[in-house]
Amino acid sequence: MLALDLAADPEAAMAANLGQAILAAHLTVIAFNVAGLVLTPIGAWLGWRWVRIRWWRALHLASLAVTAVQALFGRACFLTVWQSALTGGSREPLIERWVDGLIYWPLPVWVFACVYVAVFAYAATLWWWVPPRA
C-alpha cells in the first residue's frame, strides 16, 4: 500500500528516499564514532599507524562534540530532525523500523546529554592517551 501511495505522489516518494538516505548517513556517522572510540586505543596498543592520523582524529572529535553540544542544548541530532521531517510519520519498511529501534531510544533528553558528554570526554582523553601525529 505504501508503494502505491508513493507512486501516486512523486514528492512523497522523493522525501521518503531522502529520509532513507539520511538514515544511512546517520548509521555511517554512528559507526564512524563508535569505531573511533573502540579502535583508537586498540590500534595504539597494536601499533596501527592510522589511529594517529590527525585529520581523522580531529574529524572524530568534532563529530562527537557536535553531538554532545546538541544534546546539552536539548536538541535532537540534526540528522534525526531531517529524517523525521522527510518521512513524516509514513509507515516505514520493516528493516528501517528495526534500525530506528536500535538508534532512537525513548529516553529523556538529559540521559542522552549525559552519555554524549561522557563519550566526548572519553574521546578528548584519547587525544592525550593516543596523541595524533602531524
Side-chain angles (χ1 to χ4, degrees):
M1 181 170 218
L2 178 61
L4 294 176
D5 294 340
L6 293 179
D9 186 357
E11 288 182 20
M14 177 66 83
N17 288 336
L18 284 173
Q20 289 177 351
I22 290 172
L23 176 62
H26 204 175
L27 289 172
T28 302
V29 169
I30 292 168
F32 170 73
N33 286 338
V34 171
L37 294 169
V38 173
L39 295 177
T40 299
I42 292 171
W45 182 62
L46 294 174
W48 298 343
R49 294 176 50 148
W50 66 269
V51 299
R52 294 184 186 268
I53 296 173
R54 183 173 297 278
W55 69 263
W56 183 87
R57 295 285 300 283
L59 183 62
H60 183 249
L61 196 60
S63 177
L64 292 168
V66 167
T67 303
V69 168
Q70 288 175 135
L72 284 173
F73 284 110
R75 302 210 19 123
C77 173
F78 64 90
L79 293 172
T80 301
V81 172
W82 291 349
Q83 182 194 3
S84 293
L86 288 166
T87 57
S90 65
R91 182 147 170 80
E92 300 167 330
L94 177 62
I95 188 67
E96 194 171 340
R97 282 195 312 260
W98 180 77
V99 169
D100 279 353
L102 284 175
I103 64 174
Y104 303 119
W105 299 347
L107 297 172
V109 173
W110 68 266
V111 173
F112 291 104
C114 291
V115 170
Y116 294 149
V117 168
V119 168
F120 173 74
Y122 169 68
T125 302
L126 283 176
W127 192 273
W128 284 277
W129 285 346
V130 184
R133 296 198 172 99

